[in-house]
Amino acid sequence: MALLPIICYPDPRLHIKAAKITSVDADIRRLAADMAETMYAAPGVGLAATQVDRHIQLIVIDVSADKSQLLTLINPEILSREGECEGEEGCLSVPGIYETVTRSAWVRVRALDLDGQPFELEANDMLAVCIQHEMDHLQGKVFVEYLSRLKQTRIRSKLTKLTKHVRVTA
Ligand code: GNR
Ligand code: NI
């Protein structure tokens, strides 16, 4: 197991579209385990492979209070969605920024598990939000893209200033 570095907005690699996984093999299972460890350590409720600079359709999620409900979704697809809900979102790739986003309130998702077997899942509340947030990452989309231009510019400049300081002192 290993902790993986998480890339941060406005890194252009966050906008790379993830490829479908063609074979669920030992390498994928190792990456999924490392991503889960990285998510729990952060701590976060979800992590997409995009955020650890692996541009393949793999996400891990655990929205349970006791961190006992790890979900791994490979090549996830939304089969149907219903309703709307507003909620405050954050992202491990956009540290310190929390903003309200509107999402579907309910989703039905099909994905492969770590054995390469297809399964379906219905979700609402935090799980539905998290699935949509992580699936956006796989499409190269970060939640700040739902905000106004002005807010995006402010967030970008705030986070660029942070990394510039790191670069100068490194
Ligand atoms: O840890 C996370 N919390 C969170 C809160 C509200 C909506 C979405 C999320 S996902 C985020 C982890 C993350 O960045 N996943 O990509
Ligand atoms: Ni995120």
Side-chain angles (χ1 to χ4, degrees):
M1 298 266 275
L3 289 179
L4 306 171
I6 295 174
I7 57 182
C8 282
Y9 185 84
D11 191 312
R13 292 171 295 177
L14 285 172
H15 305 300
I16 300 172
K17 198 169 180 291
K20 270 219 156 65
I21 291 175
T22 51
S23 160
V24 181
D25 57 18
D27 285 347
I28 297 296
R29 283 188 279 273
R30 184 178 321 113
L31 175 60
D34 289 345
M35 283 172 56
E37 191 186 7
T38 303
M39 170 184 76
Y40 287 127
V45 296
L47 191 69
T50 309
Q51 294 174 276
V52 294
D53 202 22
R54 293 290 306 269
H55 304 284
I56 54 176
Q57 292 180 24
L58 169 61
I59 66 187
V60 293
I61 294 177
D62 191 341
V63 298
S64 69
D66 62 354
K67 301 289 149 203
S68 65
Q69 306 282 315
L70 178 62
L71 268 173
T72 304
L73 273 58
I74 294 166
N75 301 341
E77 292 172 69
I78 293 186
L79 302 175
S80 52
R81 51 173 86 232
E82 295 285 347
E84 276 194 355
C85 66
E86 259 191 3
E88 185 155 277
E89 296 196 16
C91 180
L92 295 172
S93 295
V94 195
I97 306 292
Y98 302 90
E99 294 284 352
T100 301
V101 177
T102 302
R103 302 278 188 187
S104 301
W106 176 92
V107 293
R108 180 167 189 86
V109 179
R110 192 201 332 255
L112 302 181
D113 66 18
L114 284 172
D115 297 316
Q117 294 303 309
F119 69 100
E120 288 185 11
L121 173 73
E122 284 178 23
N124 56 16
D125 295 330
M126 192 58 198
L127 182 56
V129 169
C130 195
I131 288 171
Q132 292 169 79
H133 176 113
E134 304 312 333
M135 286 184 68
D136 272 355
H137 276 303
L138 299 182
Q139 294 303 313
K141 186 160 184 172
V142 180
F143 84 102
V144 300
E145 291 172 60
Y146 292 105
L147 309 176
S148 68
R149 280 263 147 229
L150 177 63
K151 275 191 175 173
Q152 287 185 52
T153 304
R154 284 182 179 156
I155 291 166
R156 185 179 286 265
S157 109
K158 196 169 172 182
L159 294 177
T160 308
K161 273 180 201 141
L162 280 176
T163 47
K164 216 181 262 164
H165 183 70
V166 171
R167 221 180 290 127
V168 169
T169 54

